[in-house]
Amino acid sequence: MIEQNAPYVVVIDGPSGSGKGSLALRIAQNLDFNLLDSGAIYRLAALKALQKEVDINDELSVFESIVDLTIRFEIGQELSIPFLDGINMSNQIRQEATSEAASVIAQYPSVRQRLLTFQQDCFQPPGLVADGRDLGTVVFPKAKFKFFLLASVEIRAQRRHKQLIAMGISSNINTLQAEMTERDERDRNRSESPLVPAPDAIVVDSSMLDLEEVINLVSAHIKEST
Ligand code: DC
């Protein structure tokens, strides 16, 4: 039996722009838990490979370029702030070139394996809220709570567009939507840890819901079951 106050994991999986990052941050704040943005880890790994100018399409070169990866996160006001080799990379990880490279390297089993323990080690007291693609299926299959957030690609592209503009990064909504569709396909169809809801995940379609409504829904579920 799980003790009332034993540390536990809440996972929130879903495609990019589904709102899982904002949701994860607010749930982590509400529970006073640690936060893991696993997409940021893939993005930092991609940045490292880009910095080393290796061929992104070559798995071995990418793997070798990230063997000595040093990453850490600090919780900021609205996001967790990612550091690569001690440098704040909040903006760089959201650039289109990084998004594209992250999606490519996330297909490689050796890269996923390299990044797995890093993610699992983030589970420390008092508990963890983690968002990504395979957190409920591969990284934390025994998580106490699993949510899978969906939203239509049109809505997700609009959200990401606003996010990029707010960060001062230029963006074209049509290009964004086309790229998102392509990356969704890659995430869903890769042989290693594809983007699928865990069988025991609660699927939430956030297309017609705002962030506060999704937070209320997820919080109510957690409250009911703890
Ligand atoms: O969530 P995001 O858009 O920041 O993720 C960036 C990339 O990393 C995306 O192409 C999917 C990949 N990713 C993954 O394969 N597995 C995860 N757990 C998280 C992200």
Side-chain angles (χ1 to χ4, degrees):
M1 202 176 99
I2 300 169
E3 287 171 43
Q4 194 92 107
N5 58 356
Y8 60 86
V9 181
V10 178
V11 301
I12 304 170
D13 284 313
S16 44
S18 55
K20 60 190 186 322
S22 316
L23 174 65
L25 175 72
R26 291 283 297 277
I27 299 295
Q29 287 171 331
N30 290 351
L31 295 170
D32 218 2
F33 276 15
N34 298 312
L35 175 68
L36 166 65
D37 170 2
S38 66
I41 294 177
Y42 283 89
R43 287 169 182 270
L44 288 173
L47 261 181
K48 182 84 183 181
L50 289 172
Q51 281 175 352
K52 290 201 172 171
E53 297 185 355
V54 301
D55 178 2
I56 292 295
N57 295 304
D58 182 56
E59 177 171 357
L60 183 60
S61 309
V62 172
F63 175 73
E64 285 172 354
S65 74
I66 63 159
V67 165
D68 60 348
L69 193 68
T70 324
I71 49 188
R72 75 181 163 84
F73 292 95
E74 279 175 16
I75 304 264
Q77 236 172 354
E78 289 180 19
L79 289 168
S80 79
I81 305 169
F83 287 81
L84 175 63
D85 301 327
I87 300 169
N88 179 339
M89 292 291 181
S90 310
N91 277 354
Q92 288 89 331
I93 64 164
R94 301 290 156 205
Q95 304 277 359
E96 270 312 296
T98 317
S99 301
E100 179 58 21
S103 169
V104 173
I105 70 158
Q107 298 176 102
Y108 302 146
S110 60
V111 169
R112 302 199 72 86
Q113 193 57 38
R114 167 74 184 84
L115 301 177
L116 184 64
T117 43
F118 183 87
Q119 296 172 75
Q120 289 170 334
D121 290 347
C122 292
F123 178 32
Q124 303 287 342
L128 181 71
V129 179
D131 78 80
R133 302 293 191 289
D134 62 341
L135 282 288
T137 49
V138 177
V139 185
F140 296 111
K142 293 188 177 157
K144 186 168 180 184
F145 295 100
K146 297 181 184 178
F147 298 94
F148 193 90
L149 212 54
L150 289 176
S152 70
V153 71
E154 291 81 7
I155 299 271
R156 291 189 286 119
Q158 280 171 22
R159 287 178 186 162
R160 181 50 62 90
H161 181 65
K162 278 193 197 152
Q163 196 182 32
L164 290 171
I165 298 295
M167 292 173 88
I169 300 173
S170 71
S171 140
N172 173 301
I173 194 153
N174 295 328
T175 317
L176 207 55
Q177 189 172 319
E179 284 166 350
M180 240 176 200
T181 306
E182 189 188 322
R183 282 183 216 133
D184 282 356
E185 285 291 297
R186 210 181 279 147
D187 286 348
R188 289 200 175 98
N189 296 321
R190 66 178 175 229
S191 54
E192 190 77 13
S193 311
L195 172 67
V196 283
D200 50 347
I202 296 171
V203 179
V204 179
D205 187 340
S206 75
S207 302
M208 308 305 277
L209 302 175
D210 66 23
L211 179 62
E212 296 306 321
E213 290 171 311
V214 181
I215 292 169
N216 290 341
L217 206 147
V218 165
S219 302
H221 186 85
I222 293 175
K223 209 168 163 195
E224 256 170 38
S225 317
T226 41

